[in-house]
């Protein structure tokens, strides 16, 4: 039995996404370039309905059953494809374990797949500071955080992430975090990166998602602020002497920045 029944999920997700996108509204809110720009602009480098993707999952994915439950539940949501890719989430969990992280930040929680993913590998006194502006999404995942017994490790903060990061800095938490995942509004990526860099300790890691933005970074359109922002950050990170980096062609591209 494959771990992911790709065709059905993709078909349902895509159809619902189309409807939600056509109307441009969800729960009374518009989602313009909030995360992707257009549905086409956000793809995995390996197609999610391809045999190769299935092979990768069949030969590497070790997903906690409740994490799988949340992934399948999230895929039923009209914006399900905002969810982090499960192979990428597993890499982050492995990094979190490797560096023995205790305090992590997630910028852009959605239904909380990756928040749960990281909480599952943190020690019992570990914390995920989970930043989002939309509580309705997190309400989908919360019961599963509880079912997995890690709800106490996820500190959900519903307000603009910049505000949460500023509060953490103001309360003297600079250099006390081990890991951060940046995955919210792309236009603010540079600010998220700069604030996370202050919050992370030396040897800590910042993972930045969607750095290839469906390939659009090759020719960033002037009117696409999300791609412009990501492209500018990619150029800056290459020359940033405060970090060493790896840009991985995984999912929609993820850069790992290791604080020196
Ligand atoms: N990391 C998530 C996961 O594990 O599936 C996916 C995050 S989704 C791509 C982006 C999220 O960013 C959405 O839930 C959206 O509400 C949130 N977001 C957008 N603008 C934000 C802001 N200014 N501050 C905090 N969150 C924001
Ligand atoms: Ca993403």
């Amino acid at each position: 039995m494959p771990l992911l029944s790709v065709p059905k999920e993709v078909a349902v997700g895509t159809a619902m996404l189309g409807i939600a996108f056509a109307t441009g509204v969800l729960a009374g809110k518009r989602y313009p370039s909030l995360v992707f720009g257009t549905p086409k602009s956000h793809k995995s480098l390996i197609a999610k309905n391809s045999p190769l993707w299935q092979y990768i999952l069949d030969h590497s994915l070790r997903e906690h059953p409740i994490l799988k439950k949340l992934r399948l539940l999230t895929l039923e949501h009209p914006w399900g494809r905002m969810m982090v890719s499960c192979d990428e989430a597993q890499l982050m969990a492995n990094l979190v374990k490797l560096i023995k992280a205790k305090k992590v930040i997630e910028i852009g929680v959605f239904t909380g797949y990756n928040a749960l993913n990281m909480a599952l590998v943190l020690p019992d006194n570990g914390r995920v500071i989970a930043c989002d502006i939309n509580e309705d999404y997190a309400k989908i995942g919360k019961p599963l955080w509880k079912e997995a017994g890690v709800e106490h490790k996820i500190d959900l903060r519903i307000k603009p992430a910049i505000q949460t990061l500023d509060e953490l800095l103001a309360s003297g938490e600079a250099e006390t975090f081990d890991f951060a995942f940046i995955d919210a509004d792309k236009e603010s990526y540079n600010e998220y990166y700069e604030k996370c860099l202050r919050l992370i300790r030396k040897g800590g890691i910042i993972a930045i998602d969607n750095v290839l933005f469906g390939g659009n970074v090759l020719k960033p359109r002037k009117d696409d602020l999300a791609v412009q922002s990501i492209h500018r950050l990619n150029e800056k990170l290459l020359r940033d002497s405060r970090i060493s980096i790896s840009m991985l062609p995984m999912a929609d591209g993820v850069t790992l920045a290791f604080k020196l």
Side-chain angles (χ1 to χ4, degrees):
M1 173 87 174
L3 283 162
L4 184 72
S5 37
V6 174
K8 184 170 166 263
E9 289 159 3
V10 169
V12 172
T14 307
M16 295 181 83
L17 181 70
I19 294 163
F21 207 84
T23 54
V25 291
L26 186 73
K29 289 178 186 160
R30 282 209 79 233
Y31 294 85
S33 64
L34 172 70
V35 188
F36 306 138
T38 68
K40 266 194 201 156
S41 67
H42 176 81
K43 326 178 191 147
S44 287
L45 293 166
I46 295 182
K48 292 255 160 123
N49 54 1
S50 69
L52 196 53
W53 169 245
Q54 191 64 54
Y55 184 90
I56 290 170
L57 297 185
D58 289 347
H59 294 84
S60 70
L61 193 64
R62 299 176 178 182
E63 196 177 35
H64 187 287
I66 299 174
L67 203 52
K68 179 176 179 181
K69 204 166 153 184
L70 179 52
R71 177 166 56 80
L72 297 180
L73 185 66
T74 302
L75 284 171
E76 288 170 15
H77 190 278
W79 290 91
R81 69 183 279 191
M82 286 211 293
M83 180 174 45
V84 71
S85 190
C86 51
D87 55 333
E88 183 185 351
Q90 184 167 292
L91 171 66
M92 284 188 277
N94 282 329
L95 290 171
V96 163
K97 274 194 284 187
L98 183 72
I99 65 171
K100 297 185 171 50
K102 277 196 181 150
K103 285 176 75 181
V104 311
I105 305 170
E106 166 107 335
I107 302 177
V109 177
F110 190 38
T111 62
Y113 180 86
N114 193 46
L116 173 59
N117 168 57
M118 296 197 292
L120 282 165
V121 296
L122 285 174
D124 200 54
N125 62 351
R127 286 293 171 272
V128 181
I129 304 294
C131 313
D132 209 294
I133 43 173
N134 187 323
E135 193 162 20
D136 292 341
Y137 294 151
K139 277 185 187 155
I140 297 169
K142 263 187 180 177
L144 295 174
W145 302 350
K146 193 167 181 191
E147 192 179 331
V150 296
E151 194 190 22
H152 62 289
K153 296 188 213 171
I154 304 177
D155 178 353
L156 181 64
R157 310 226 179 152
I158 300 295
K159 58 180 80 168
I162 295 282
Q163 209 177 311
T164 299
L165 299 177
D166 282 339
E167 285 166 8
L168 293 171
L169 286 166
S171 60
E173 296 192 59
E175 308 231 324
T176 66
F177 284 84
D178 305 288
F179 188 91
F181 181 48
I182 300 179
D183 190 22
D185 51 316
K186 307 312 175 204
E187 290 85 345
S188 305
Y189 261 32
N190 186 51
E191 269 184 283
Y192 294 148
Y193 168 69
E194 286 297 336
K195 289 181 196 296
C196 283
L197 199 59
R198 290 173 61 197
L199 287 163
I200 296 287
R201 63 165 167 91
K202 281 193 173 65
I205 302 171
I206 303 174
I208 305 163
D209 201 28
N210 305 106
V211 294
L212 299 177
F213 215 78
N216 293 356
V217 286
L218 289 177
K219 250 188 180 180
R221 279 199 347 241
K222 285 212 170 65
D223 60 343
D224 193 333
L225 299 182
V227 186
Q228 287 282 347
S229 165
I230 287 177
H231 178 59
R232 268 200 306 275
L233 183 60
N234 287 342
E235 300 232 301
K236 167 174 151 173
L237 295 186
L238 174 65
R239 293 175 185 84
D240 192 334
S241 59
R242 299 170 294 177
I243 54 164
S244 56
I245 63 168
S246 287
M247 183 186 267
L248 308 180
M250 175 180 249
D252 190 31
V254 56
T255 291
L256 301 179
F258 304 87
K259 184 168 173 178
L260 298 172

